[in-house]
């Protein structure tokens, strides 16, 4: 069985701390993987509440450098010095988001997390690769579908240099569980990257953020049509997917669409 425990999400079970961020604990074949760390306020208390010993983690994956996925790194100094940390190149690079009302927000990995990251044994992911038997990271995901992935991101505070979040990576687990952080590359591009690298592993379950909060109906319709064509068994849209997009997908998709708030766990049969 593959076991996934949500430690950080925008939604949370009673007694758990909600937070705009994502962190998942993934257990399979003797490995305990922490995928992202949330923004920093929820990871440790939620792990304690769930009875999770983070010292048992054997690898940390950072899907990309934004604060809501890396902020919790600052609280893991006792762990990160002795385990591999997988991340894309330049994951600590500056990044700002520009909102429609003109406001700007610095969304770079927080300084305290950068200090811990500098001490980590970092494995840079430059391409699709297997990091353990049946455990794959996509590395940089080609943007080929023309998806409008939402959000305006920049590498400078003046917001003149576009930032496409090129360091983003997703996790593919055999036999076909795809775990995404924010999916800034778009879910179509992300799945296609997996299919091209390993066509023998059909994606059948998708878990994580899909970054559809600002998607218009045309984008949502194209996404739903594509996902329906995959023959998915289940999709768990989280974090930055957006409530309206989740409702749309629940109405349009032929597979099961379910939630995984912080504090809840799910299992996937690895033998299918």
């Amino acid at each position: 069985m593959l076991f996934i425990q949500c430690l950080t999400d925008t939604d949370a079970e009673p007694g758990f701390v909600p937070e705009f961020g994502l962190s998942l604990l993934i257990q399979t074949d003797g490995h305990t993987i922490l995928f992202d760390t949330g923004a920093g306020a929820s990871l440790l208390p939620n792990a304690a509440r769930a009875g999770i010993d983070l010292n048992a983690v054997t690898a940390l994956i950072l899907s990309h450098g934004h604060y809501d996925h890396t902020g919790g790194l600052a609280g893991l100094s006792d762990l990160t010095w002795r385990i591999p940390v997988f991340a894309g190149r330049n994951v600590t690079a500056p990044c700002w988001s520009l909102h429609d009302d003109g406001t700007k927000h610095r969304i770079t990995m927080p300084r305290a997390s950068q200090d811990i990251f500098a001490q980590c044994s970092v494995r840079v992911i430059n391409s699709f690769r297997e990091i353990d038997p049946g455990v794959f990271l996509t590395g940089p995901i080609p943007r080929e579908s023309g998806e409008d992935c939402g959000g305006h991101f920049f590498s400078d505070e003046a917001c003149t240099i576009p930032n496409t979040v090129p360091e983003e990576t997703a996790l593919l687990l055999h036999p076909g569980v795809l775990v995404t952080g924010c999916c800034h590359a778009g879910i179509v591009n992300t799945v296609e990257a997996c299919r091209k690298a390993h066509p023998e592993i059909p994606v059948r379950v998708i878990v994580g953020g899909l970054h559809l909060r600002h998607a218009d109906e045309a984008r949502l319709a194209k996404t739903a049509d594509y996902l329906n064509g995959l023959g998915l068994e289940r999709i768990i849209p989280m974090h930055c997917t957006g409530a309206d997009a989740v409702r749309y997908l629940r109405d349009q998709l032929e597979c099961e669409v379910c939630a995984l708030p912080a504090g809840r766990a799910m299992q996937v049969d690895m033998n299918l």
Side-chain angles (χ1 to χ4, degrees):
M1 280 290 189
L2 168 68
F3 174 88
I4 301 178
Q5 169 84 47
C6 180
L7 297 176
T8 298
D9 186 51
T10 309
D11 299 317
E13 296 277 36
F16 289 82
V17 180
E19 178 178 73
F20 186 76
L22 183 71
S23 181
L24 300 170
L25 189 80
I26 302 167
Q27 295 174 301
T28 177
D29 295 334
H31 300 292
T32 301
I33 299 169
L34 185 63
F35 183 87
D36 286 341
T37 67
S42 66
L43 176 60
L44 296 183
N46 285 348
R49 174 81 177 184
I52 299 295
D53 180 9
L54 292 177
N55 288 316
V57 170
T58 56
L60 170 63
I61 296 168
L62 298 177
S63 66
H64 61 298
H66 293 175
Y67 78 96
D68 48 326
H69 296 258
T70 62
L73 186 60
L76 299 176
S77 59
D78 291 340
L79 170 67
T80 51
W81 67 271
R82 56 183 174 81
I83 65 170
V85 176
F86 297 91
R89 187 175 299 281
N90 297 325
V91 72
T92 62
C95 189
W96 280 262
S97 64
L98 177 63
H99 293 203
D100 290 339
D101 62 3
T103 58
K104 304 171 186 177
H105 298 275
R106 189 176 186 272
I107 58 175
T108 310
M109 182 188 295
R111 173 53 60 186
S113 294
Q114 290 191 41
D115 291 342
I116 298 300
F117 185 78
Q119 303 171 29
C120 293
S121 175
V122 179
R123 314 282 177 85
V124 178
I125 304 299
N126 289 322
S127 60
F128 203 108
R129 60 176 282 199
E130 188 173 27
I131 62 172
D132 264 318
V135 181
F136 306 88
L137 289 176
T138 63
I141 300 164
R143 271 69 162 172
E144 297 177 345
S145 70
E147 291 171 88
D148 174 9
C149 299
H152 302 287
F153 303 109
F154 297 87
S155 296
D156 62 325
E157 189 172 5
C159 294
T160 61
I161 305 172
N163 185 317
T164 62
V165 198
E167 78 276 10
E168 184 180 45
T169 188
L171 172 66
L172 177 65
L173 299 163
H174 183 74
V177 178
L178 175 63
V179 184
T180 64
C182 265
C183 224
H184 289 293
I187 188 59
V188 176
N189 286 326
T190 303
V191 172
E192 286 302 306
C194 294
R195 295 175 77 180
K196 289 177 182 177
H198 281 280
E200 77 283 4
I201 306 177
V203 174
R204 60 190 186 93
V205 177
I206 298 175
V207 185
L210 300 182
H211 215 277
L212 294 170
R213 287 185 298 149
H214 306 296
D216 58 24
E217 189 166 352
R219 163 79 196 283
L220 290 173
K222 289 178 67 176
T223 299
D225 286 346
Y226 175 82
L227 294 175
N228 276 330
L230 295 177
L232 294 174
E233 297 172 11
R234 194 188 325 174
I235 186 168
I236 301 92
M238 306 173 69
H239 176 40
C240 57
T241 304
D244 290 342
V246 171
R247 284 191 289 269
Y248 184 92
L249 294 176
R250 188 172 285 120
D251 289 340
Q252 300 297 321
L253 293 186
E254 298 165 359
C255 66
E256 178 184 11
V257 179
C258 52
L260 191 67
R264 188 179 299 178
M266 61 174 283
Q267 291 183 334
V268 180
D269 188 347
M270 297 292 285
N271 296 318
L272 294 181

